[in-house]
Amino acid sequence: MAEHVLLRAGAAQTCGKCVPCRDGLPQLAAMLKCVAAYEADEAELARMRVLAEMLHDTSDCAIGYEAAQALLDGMDSFVAEYASHATAGCCQEGAGQTVPCETLCPAHVDVPAYIALTAAGDYAGAVNMVCKDNPFPTLCVFVCDHPCEARRRLLDASVNIRGIKKYAVDQTPADQVAPPQRGVDTARKVAVIGGGPRGLTCAYLLALIGHRETVFEVRAQLGDMLRYCIPAYRFPRERLVWFGSDVELHHDVCRRADVVARGIEPRKGASGHRHAAARRREAGMPPHRGGSARHRARCACGYPPEAAPRHERGVREQVVNYLI
């Protein structure tokens, strides 16, 4: 828990001249560890509170009294949880414990699992563990800002999680790892309009479910923002490989007849065809007025900014589910 980490950090940083700080912080950390292990009783909780109050009132610097105050705040905010540990020997019913690195990851990838697999030398297993929640492990290595590397900084320095992932991907490239098995065939056809990151993620998840997905992309290659907007020095193009789905390139699906002609029948109640501008209005965001990313995408496709066709103006990455 955070209070235990703070107490240990304070005990490691104390100068030793202040007796309450020098002797009190290690005692509080040991008592709190007993509480977390369900080895304390109500009398131990009372002694811990008395010691924390004494430490807060008599410490000469913030190392002592701030750590003690954090513990007191926690005991006041989670009275029922502390009581459950001391009396029932278990966490309070309904209390959930999450791994901070997994919680902070936008895709909620199982970080401890792929670190353990990498440490064991199972690099293919580590890549597949990332792919369970994120179909782009190599992309994540190059462009992720790694918010998961945060919790350990409370104690000393963060674990280089992104570096561990890059090591696994370098040892066994993602395109050389056997992809997960497709789900049982549901005989349903799904058209995914747009071969960008969202469209490819949609196709990947649909394949795992067992649907027959087809990706329609208007450009010459898949990737959209990944290929045309992220600079090559940040994400090398030779690392962008996609396999596993039926793909139709140079194909602009703008009409219902384009989809119906392929045996995919539009069904009422599917996720729908929503333009990016409508989504921005619903979110209360200002209209998109263009920018360098869109300019690079147009130039990469061979269109001058003034002569870009209509379907290139705005975000073309729309996912349309047509189920048969």
Side-chain angles (χ1 to χ4, degrees):
M1 55 184 69
E3 291 89 349
H4 186 251
V5 174
L6 186 58
L7 290 172
R8 288 179 56 195
Q13 295 174 7
T14 180
C15 65
K17 297 179 180 179
C18 172
V19 175
C21 184
R22 181 189 65 201
D23 297 337
L25 286 177
Q27 290 185 40
L28 276 180
M31 296 170 76
L32 188 57
K33 186 176 181 180
C34 290
V35 173
Y38 314 114
E39 298 173 356
D41 53 16
E42 292 184 344
E44 186 73 3
L45 291 181
R47 287 193 293 270
M48 187 168 65
R49 178 177 287 276
V50 171
L51 179 58
E53 291 174 347
M54 183 272 294
L55 184 60
H56 177 268
D57 295 337
T58 59
S59 294
D60 292 335
C61 70
I63 292 178
Y65 61 72
E66 287 293 345
Q69 184 62 51
L71 177 60
L72 291 171
D73 291 342
M75 295 185 71
D76 292 336
S77 300
F78 303 98
V79 177
E81 183 65 26
Y82 274 91
S84 179
H85 275 245
T87 59
C90 63
C91 292
Q92 190 179 11
E93 184 178 357
Q97 305 217 5
T98 61
V99 181
C101 54
E102 185 177 345
T103 303
L104 294 173
C105 174
H108 302 298
V109 175
D110 193 343
V111 176
Y114 76 71
I115 288 180
L117 290 169
T118 304
D122 186 3
Y123 307 118
V127 172
N128 274 330
M129 181 59 65
V130 177
C131 287
K132 285 177 60 179
D133 304 289
N134 177 9
F136 305 109
T138 307
L139 168 71
C140 194
V141 163
F142 286 99
V143 303
C144 179
D145 60 350
H146 46 90
C148 54
E149 299 178 11
R151 185 62 176 269
R152 183 71 186 184
R153 294 174 190 168
L154 294 172
L155 188 60
D156 41 37
S158 61
V159 177
N160 189 5
I161 294 176
R162 188 174 69 169
I164 295 173
K165 188 190 305 178
K166 186 176 189 304
Y167 179 76
V169 172
D170 288 342
Q171 297 300 312
T172 305
D175 59 337
Q176 298 179 14
V177 177
Q181 293 293 326
R182 295 177 66 98
V184 178
D185 189 7
T186 63
R188 291 189 170 186
K189 298 179 181 179
V190 183
V192 180
I193 313 302
R198 282 182 292 180
L200 295 179
T201 301
C202 178
Y204 173 78
L205 297 176
L206 289 169
L208 294 182
I209 295 173
H211 295 332
R212 304 174 186 176
E213 80 290 347
T214 302
V215 180
F216 294 90
E217 171 57 40
V218 70
R219 297 188 177 96
Q221 292 177 296
L222 292 174
D224 195 56
M225 184 184 71
L226 308 182
R227 184 178 300 276
Y228 300 114
C229 296
I230 299 177
Y233 70 85
R234 186 68 185 270
F235 182 40
R237 296 297 178 262
E238 61 270 15
R239 303 298 294 268
L240 181 57
V241 180
W242 176 260
F243 55 91
S245 296
D246 293 331
V247 177
E248 293 196 21
L249 301 174
H250 291 294
H251 197 100
D252 184 19
V253 180
C254 296
R255 298 175 302 167
R256 171 173 173 159
D258 295 330
V259 178
V260 174
R262 285 161 177 77
I264 304 175
E265 178 184 354
R267 175 176 296 183
K268 200 169 184 180
S271 63
H273 188 185
R274 301 172 59 194
H275 194 270
R279 292 197 297 270
R280 295 180 69 87
R281 286 195 300 270
E282 292 175 3
M285 301 172 64
H288 184 67
R289 299 301 183 187
S292 59
R294 189 171 65 174
H295 174 78
R296 290 197 299 271
R298 290 176 177 177
C299 294
C301 292
Y303 302 121
E306 303 79 17
R310 185 171 182 178
H311 59 257
E312 291 294 331
R313 298 174 190 167
V315 179
R316 183 60 185 142
E317 188 183 295
Q318 303 158 15
V319 178
V320 187
N321 291 350
Y322 290 105
L323 303 182
I324 189 168

CSV table of all heavy atoms in Angstrom, one decimal, residues 7 10-11 14-26 28 50-70 72:
chain,number,residue,atom,x,y,z
A,7,LEU,N,6.4,5.2,4.3
A,7,LEU,CA,7.1,5.0,5.6
A,7,LEU,C,8.5,4.4,5.3
A,7,LEU,O,9.4,4.8,6.0
A,7,LEU,CB,6.3,4.1,6.5
A,7,LEU,CG,5.0,4.7,7.0
A,7,LEU,CD1,4.1,3.6,7.7
A,7,LEU,CD2,5.2,5.8,8.0
A,10,GLY,N,10.7,7.2,4.0
A,10,GLY,CA,11.0,8.1,5.0
A,10,GLY,C,12.1,7.5,5.9
A,10,GLY,O,13.1,8.2,6.3
A,11,ALA,N,12.0,6.3,6.3
A,11,ALA,CA,13.0,5.6,7.1
A,11,ALA,C,14.3,5.6,6.5
A,11,ALA,O,15.4,5.7,7.1
A,11,ALA,CB,12.5,4.2,7.5
A,14,THR,N,15.8,9.4,6.6
A,14,THR,CA,16.0,10.2,7.8
A,14,THR,C,17.5,10.4,8.1
A,14,THR,O,18.3,9.5,7.8
A,14,THR,CB,15.3,9.5,9.0
A,14,THR,OG1,15.5,10.2,10.2
A,14,THR,CG2,15.8,8.1,9.2
A,15,CYS,N,17.8,11.5,8.7
A,15,CYS,CA,19.2,11.9,9.0
A,15,CYS,C,19.6,11.1,10.3
A,15,CYS,O,20.8,11.0,10.5
A,15,CYS,CB,19.3,13.4,9.2
A,15,CYS,SG,18.4,14.0,10.6
A,16,GLY,N,18.7,10.7,11.1
A,16,GLY,CA,19.1,9.9,12.3
A,16,GLY,C,19.2,10.8,13.5
A,16,GLY,O,19.4,10.2,14.7
A,17,LYS,N,19.2,12.1,13.4
A,17,LYS,CA,19.3,13.0,14.6
A,17,LYS,C,18.0,13.0,15.4
A,17,LYS,O,18.1,13.3,16.6
A,17,LYS,CB,19.8,14.4,14.1
A,17,LYS,CG,21.1,14.4,13.5
A,17,LYS,CD,21.5,15.8,13.0
A,17,LYS,CE,22.8,15.9,12.4
A,17,LYS,NZ,23.2,17.2,11.9
A,18,CYS,N,16.9,12.9,14.7
A,18,CYS,CA,15.6,13.0,15.3
A,18,CYS,C,15.2,11.6,15.8
A,18,CYS,O,15.0,10.7,14.9
A,18,CYS,CB,14.6,13.6,14.4
A,18,CYS,SG,12.9,13.6,14.9
A,19,VAL,N,15.1,11.4,17.1
A,19,VAL,CA,14.8,10.1,17.6
A,19,VAL,C,13.4,9.6,17.2
A,19,VAL,O,13.2,8.4,16.7
A,19,VAL,CB,14.9,10.0,19.1
A,19,VAL,CG1,14.4,8.7,19.7
A,19,VAL,CG2,16.3,10.3,19.6
A,20,PRO,N,12.3,10.4,17.2
A,20,PRO,CA,11.0,9.9,16.8
A,20,PRO,C,11.0,9.4,15.3
A,20,PRO,O,10.5,8.4,15.0
A,20,PRO,CB,10.1,11.1,17.0
A,20,PRO,CG,10.7,11.9,18.1
A,20,PRO,CD,12.2,11.7,17.8
A,21,CYS,N,11.7,10.2,14.5
A,21,CYS,CA,11.8,9.9,13.1
A,21,CYS,C,12.6,8.6,12.8
A,21,CYS,O,12.3,7.7,12.1
A,21,CYS,CB,12.3,11.1,12.3
A,21,CYS,SG,12.3,10.9,10.5
A,22,ARG,N,13.8,8.6,13.5
A,22,ARG,CA,14.7,7.5,13.3
A,22,ARG,C,14.2,6.2,13.8
A,22,ARG,O,14.4,5.2,13.1
A,22,ARG,CB,16.0,7.8,14.0
A,22,ARG,CG,17.2,6.8,13.9
A,22,ARG,CD,18.3,7.1,14.8
A,22,ARG,NE,17.9,7.0,16.2
A,22,ARG,CZ,18.5,7.6,17.3
A,22,ARG,NH1,19.5,8.3,17.0
A,22,ARG,NH2,18.0,7.4,18.5
A,23,ASP,N,13.6,6.2,14.9
A,23,ASP,CA,13.1,4.9,15.5
A,23,ASP,C,11.6,4.7,15.2
A,23,ASP,O,11.1,3.5,15.2
A,23,ASP,CB,13.3,4.9,17.0
A,23,ASP,CG,14.7,5.0,17.4
A,23,ASP,OD1,15.6,4.6,16.5
A,23,ASP,OD2,15.1,5.4,18.5
A,24,GLY,N,10.8,5.8,15.0
A,24,GLY,CA,9.4,5.6,14.9
A,24,GLY,C,8.9,5.1,13.5
A,24,GLY,O,8.0,4.3,13.4
A,25,LEU,N,9.6,5.6,12.4
A,25,LEU,CA,9.2,5.2,11.1
A,25,LEU,C,9.4,3.7,10.8
A,25,LEU,O,8.5,3.1,10.3
A,25,LEU,CB,10.0,6.1,10.1
A,25,LEU,CG,9.6,7.6,9.9
A,25,LEU,CD1,10.5,8.3,8.9
A,25,LEU,CD2,8.1,7.6,9.5
A,26,PRO,N,10.5,3.1,11.2
A,26,PRO,CA,10.6,1.7,11.0
A,26,PRO,C,9.6,0.9,11.8
A,26,PRO,O,9.1,-0.1,11.3
A,26,PRO,CB,12.1,1.4,11.5
A,26,PRO,CG,12.8,2.6,11.3
A,26,PRO,CD,11.8,3.7,11.7
A,28,LEU,N,6.6,2.0,12.6
A,28,LEU,CA,5.3,2.1,12.0
A,28,LEU,C,5.2,1.3,10.7
A,28,LEU,O,4.2,0.6,10.4
A,28,LEU,CB,5.0,3.6,11.6
A,28,LEU,CG,4.5,4.5,12.7
A,28,LEU,CD1,4.3,5.9,12.1
A,28,LEU,CD2,3.1,4.0,13.2
A,50,VAL,N,-1.5,5.8,18.1
A,50,VAL,CA,-0.8,6.5,19.1
A,50,VAL,C,0.6,6.9,18.7
A,50,VAL,O,1.1,8.0,18.8
A,50,VAL,CB,-0.8,5.8,20.5
A,50,VAL,CG1,0.1,6.5,21.5
A,50,VAL,CG2,-2.2,5.7,21.0
A,51,LEU,N,1.3,5.9,18.1
A,51,LEU,CA,2.7,6.1,17.7
A,51,LEU,C,2.7,7.1,16.5
A,51,LEU,O,3.6,8.0,16.5
A,51,LEU,CB,3.3,4.8,17.2
A,51,LEU,CG,4.8,4.8,16.7
A,51,LEU,CD1,5.7,5.4,17.7
A,51,LEU,CD2,5.2,3.4,16.3
A,52,ALA,N,1.8,7.0,15.6
A,52,ALA,CA,1.7,7.9,14.5
A,52,ALA,C,1.5,9.4,14.9
A,52,ALA,O,2.1,10.3,14.4
A,52,ALA,CB,0.7,7.5,13.5
A,53,GLU,N,0.6,9.5,15.9
A,53,GLU,CA,0.3,10.9,16.4
A,53,GLU,C,1.5,11.4,17.1
A,53,GLU,O,1.8,12.6,17.0
A,53,GLU,CB,-0.9,10.8,17.4
A,53,GLU,CG,-2.2,10.5,16.7
A,53,GLU,CD,-3.4,10.3,17.6
A,53,GLU,OE1,-3.1,10.1,18.8
A,53,GLU,OE2,-4.5,10.3,17.2
A,54,MET,N,2.2,10.6,17.9
A,54,MET,CA,3.4,11.1,18.6
A,54,MET,C,4.5,11.5,17.6
A,54,MET,O,5.1,12.5,17.7
A,54,MET,CB,3.9,10.0,19.5
A,54,MET,CG,5.2,10.4,20.4
A,54,MET,SD,6.7,10.1,19.5
A,54,MET,CE,6.7,8.3,19.4
A,55,LEU,N,4.6,10.7,16.5
A,55,LEU,CA,5.6,11.0,15.5
A,55,LEU,C,5.3,12.2,14.8
A,55,LEU,O,6.2,13.1,14.5
A,55,LEU,CB,5.7,9.8,14.5
A,55,LEU,CG,6.7,9.8,13.4
A,55,LEU,CD1,8.1,9.9,14.0
A,55,LEU,CD2,6.6,8.6,12.5
A,56,HIS,N,4.0,12.5,14.5
A,56,HIS,CA,3.6,13.7,13.8
A,56,HIS,C,3.9,14.9,14.7
A,56,HIS,O,4.2,16.0,14.1
A,56,HIS,CB,2.1,13.6,13.5
A,56,HIS,CG,1.5,14.8,12.8
A,56,HIS,ND1,1.0,15.8,13.6
A,56,HIS,CD2,1.5,15.2,11.5
A,56,HIS,CE1,0.6,16.8,12.8
A,56,HIS,NE2,0.9,16.4,11.5
A,57,ASP,N,3.7,14.8,16.0
A,57,ASP,CA,3.8,16.0,16.9
A,57,ASP,C,5.2,16.3,17.3
A,57,ASP,O,5.5,17.4,17.6
A,57,ASP,CB,3.0,15.8,18.1
A,57,ASP,CG,1.5,15.7,17.8
A,57,ASP,OD1,1.1,16.2,16.8
A,57,ASP,OD2,0.7,15.1,18.6
A,58,THR,N,6.1,15.3,17.2
A,58,THR,CA,7.5,15.5,17.8
A,58,THR,C,8.6,15.5,16.7
A,58,THR,O,9.7,15.8,17.1
A,58,THR,CB,7.8,14.4,18.8
A,58,THR,OG1,7.7,13.1,18.3
A,58,THR,CG2,6.8,14.6,20.0
A,59,SER,N,8.3,15.1,15.5
A,59,SER,CA,9.4,15.1,14.5
A,59,SER,C,9.8,16.5,14.1
A,59,SER,O,9.0,17.4,14.2
A,59,SER,CB,8.9,14.4,13.2
A,59,SER,OG,8.6,13.0,13.5
A,60,ASP,N,11.1,16.6,13.8
A,60,ASP,CA,11.7,17.9,13.5
A,60,ASP,C,11.6,18.3,12.1
A,60,ASP,O,11.8,19.5,11.8
A,60,ASP,CB,13.2,17.9,14.0
A,60,ASP,CG,13.4,17.8,15.5
A,60,ASP,OD1,12.4,18.2,16.2
A,60,ASP,OD2,14.4,17.4,15.9
A,61,CYS,N,11.3,17.4,11.2
A,61,CYS,CA,11.2,17.7,9.8
A,61,CYS,C,10.0,17.0,9.1
A,61,CYS,O,9.4,16.2,9.7
A,61,CYS,CB,12.5,17.4,9.1
A,61,CYS,SG,12.8,15.6,8.9
A,62,ALA,N,9.8,17.4,7.8
A,62,ALA,CA,8.7,16.8,7.1
A,62,ALA,C,8.8,15.4,6.8
A,62,ALA,O,7.8,14.7,6.6
A,62,ALA,CB,8.5,17.6,5.8
A,63,ILE,N,10.0,14.8,6.8
A,63,ILE,CA,10.2,13.4,6.5
A,63,ILE,C,9.4,12.6,7.6
A,63,ILE,O,8.7,11.6,7.2
A,63,ILE,CB,11.7,13.0,6.6
A,63,ILE,CG1,12.4,13.6,5.4
A,63,ILE,CG2,11.8,11.5,6.5
A,63,ILE,CD1,13.9,13.3,5.4
A,64,GLY,N,9.4,13.0,8.8
A,64,GLY,CA,8.7,12.3,9.9
A,64,GLY,C,7.2,12.6,9.9
A,64,GLY,O,6.4,11.7,9.8
A,65,TYR,N,6.9,13.9,10.1
A,65,TYR,CA,5.5,14.2,10.3
A,65,TYR,C,4.6,14.1,9.1
A,65,TYR,O,3.4,13.8,9.2
A,65,TYR,CB,5.3,15.6,11.0
A,65,TYR,CG,5.8,16.8,10.2
A,65,TYR,CD1,5.2,17.3,9.1
A,65,TYR,CD2,6.9,17.5,10.6
A,65,TYR,CE1,5.6,18.4,8.4
A,65,TYR,CE2,7.4,18.7,10.0
A,65,TYR,CZ,6.7,19.1,8.9
A,65,TYR,OH,7.2,20.2,8.2
A,66,GLU,N,5.2,14.2,7.9
A,66,GLU,CA,4.3,14.0,6.7
A,66,GLU,C,4.0,12.6,6.5
A,66,GLU,O,2.9,12.2,6.1
A,66,GLU,CB,5.1,14.6,5.4
A,66,GLU,CG,5.1,16.1,5.3
A,66,GLU,CD,3.7,16.7,5.1
A,66,GLU,OE1,2.8,16.0,4.8
A,66,GLU,OE2,3.6,17.9,5.3
A,67,ALA,N,5.0,11.7,6.7
A,67,ALA,CA,4.7,10.3,6.6
A,67,ALA,C,3.7,9.8,7.7
A,67,ALA,O,2.8,9.0,7.4
A,67,ALA,CB,6.0,9.5,6.8
A,68,ALA,N,3.8,10.3,8.9
A,68,ALA,CA,2.9,10.0,9.9
A,68,ALA,C,1.5,10.5,9.6
A,68,ALA,O,0.5,9.9,9.8
A,68,ALA,CB,3.3,10.5,11.3
A,69,GLN,N,1.4,11.7,9.0
A,69,GLN,CA,0.1,12.3,8.7
A,69,GLN,C,-0.6,11.5,7.6
A,69,GLN,O,-1.8,11.3,7.6
A,69,GLN,CB,0.3,13.8,8.2
A,69,GLN,CG,-1.0,14.5,7.9
A,69,GLN,CD,-1.9,14.6,9.1
A,69,GLN,OE1,-1.5,15.0,10.2
A,69,GLN,NE2,-3.2,14.2,9.0
A,70,ALA,N,0.2,11.0,6.6
A,70,ALA,CA,-0.4,10.2,5.5
A,70,ALA,C,-1.0,8.9,6.1
A,70,ALA,O,-2.1,8.5,5.7
A,70,ALA,CB,0.7,9.9,4.5
A,72,LEU,N,-2.1,8.5,9.2
A,72,LEU,CA,-3.3,8.9,10.0
A,72,LEU,C,-4.5,9.2,9.0
A,72,LEU,O,-5.6,8.8,9.3
A,72,LEU,CB,-3.0,10.1,10.9
A,72,LEU,CG,-2.1,9.9,12.0
A,72,LEU,CD1,-1.7,11.2,12.7
A,72,LEU,CD2,-2.7,8.9,13.1
